[in-house]
């Protein structure tokens, strides 16, 4: 199953919760850059979970979000016992990590969907959503994909008409940004709680009722396309500001960082424009430590 990445077209911090998490409004869209997740079931072997990501990740297997997703699924089923098969999860990673593109969260959502299918839908949509939200702020979104306004810590999801076919160039510097540090610095800058809630009050409706084509729809709300994590991320990692300026030089209609970075994206008018920018950026020595992708919202 394909586990698609996402970009945050906007991300506003609306408040801080007592558990240290932040209340957000974000507009997320899946893009065609994806990992491949497969599960093999071995009834000849006692219950257990293994995760194989090749050499893509240097984290302990039991900290892998795919492992945690499967573990949460079976715990909630109350069936971690000998009647269950051994579960081999294989992930072919294409989405870079520490990018703000949601790779790990998307893989975890894929594991939940595959298990839900294989075991004959033991959970309602609402229950699966609740398991997903224990795994990470972005995981519930990936159960649905497409385009959605996500609120709360990310778990309150309003799906809106998708903005398919937006032409994107994504640039991922080799260095990553630590998400908690980024939020911490954003706290120091402060945010205007009520004002942001007011500005985005009817945002999902505007997106749904607009008759414009996807690209024009996005440009119509360009003044709302702000990522509150961009300023702290630029401070923690100045390369982000440089990358955004370099993408801008290619005539991008809108350039921003996704999530908590460090991947940045530029939005282009047409496929030809995006291809031309891809070729030019791929040969740009200033981006020699970066991975560059031509992608599209889907
Ligand atoms: O949930 P996820 O693993 O993506 O979050 C990573 C970190 O980002 C959290 O540990 C937290 O510090 C921060 N975060 C937050 N508020 C959110 C989402 C994430 O403070 N809504």
């Amino acid at each position: 199953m394909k586990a698609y990445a996402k970009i945050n077209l906007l991300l506003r911090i609306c408040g801080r919760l007592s558990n240290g998490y932040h209340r957000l409004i974000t507009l997320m869209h899946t893009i065609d850059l994806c990992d491949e997740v497969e599960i093999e079931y071995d009834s000849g072997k006692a219950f257990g979970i293994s995760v194989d990501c090749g050499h893509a990740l240097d984290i302990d297997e039991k900290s892998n979000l795919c492992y945690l997703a499967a573990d949460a699924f079976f715990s909630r089923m109350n069936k971690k016992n000998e009647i269950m098969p051994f579960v081999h999860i294989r992930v072919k990673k294409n989405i870079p990590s520490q990018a703000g593109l949601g790779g790990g969260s998307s893989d975890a959502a894929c594991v939940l969907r595959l298990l839900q299918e294989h075991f004959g839908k033991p959970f309602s949509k609402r229950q699966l959503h609740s398991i997903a939200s224990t795994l990470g702020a972005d995981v519930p979104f990936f159960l649905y994909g497409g385009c959605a306004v996500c609120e709360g810590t990310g778990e309150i999801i309003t799906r809106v008409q998708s903005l398919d076919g937006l032409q994107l160039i994504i640039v991922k510097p080799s260095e990553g940004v630590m998400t908690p540090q980024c939020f911490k610095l954003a706290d120091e800058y402060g945010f205007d709680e009520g004002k942001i809630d007011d500005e985005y009050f009817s945002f999902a409706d505007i997106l749904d009722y607009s008759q414009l084509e996807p690209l024009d729809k996005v440009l119509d709300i360009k003044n709302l396309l702000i990522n509150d994590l961009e300023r702290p991320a630029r401070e923690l990692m100045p390369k982000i500001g440089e990358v955004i300026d370099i993408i801008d030089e290619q005539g991008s209609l809108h350039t921003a960082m996704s999530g908590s970075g460090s991947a940045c994206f530029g939005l282009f008018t047409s496929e030809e424009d995006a291809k031309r920018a891809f070729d030019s950026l791929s040969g740009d020595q200033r981006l020699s430590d970066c991975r560059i992708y031509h992608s599209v919202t889907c």
Side-chain angles (χ1 to χ4, degrees), residues 20-24 105 135-138 152-154 179-180 183:
Y21 266 63
H22 293 76
R23 201 164 62 75
L24 309 173
S105 301
L135 298 166
D138 293 343
T153 52
T179 308
F183 273 104

Side-chain angles (χ1 to χ4, degrees), residues 26-45:
T26 178
L27 178 64
M28 299 217 265
H29 210 304
T30 36
I31 59 173
D32 69 350
L33 176 64
C34 64
D35 291 341
E36 297 274 350
V37 182
E38 268 177 20
I39 302 187
E40 228 176 76
Y41 302 90
D42 186 349
S43 310
K45 218 170 147 188

Side-chain angles (χ1 to χ4, degrees), residues 226-243:
I226 296 165
N227 181 348
D228 283 329
L229 292 175
E230 195 173 300
R231 186 173 156 219
R234 278 176 183 241
E235 188 164 320
L236 292 166
M237 196 184 139
K239 177 89 191 182
I240 289 173
E242 289 166 30
V243 164

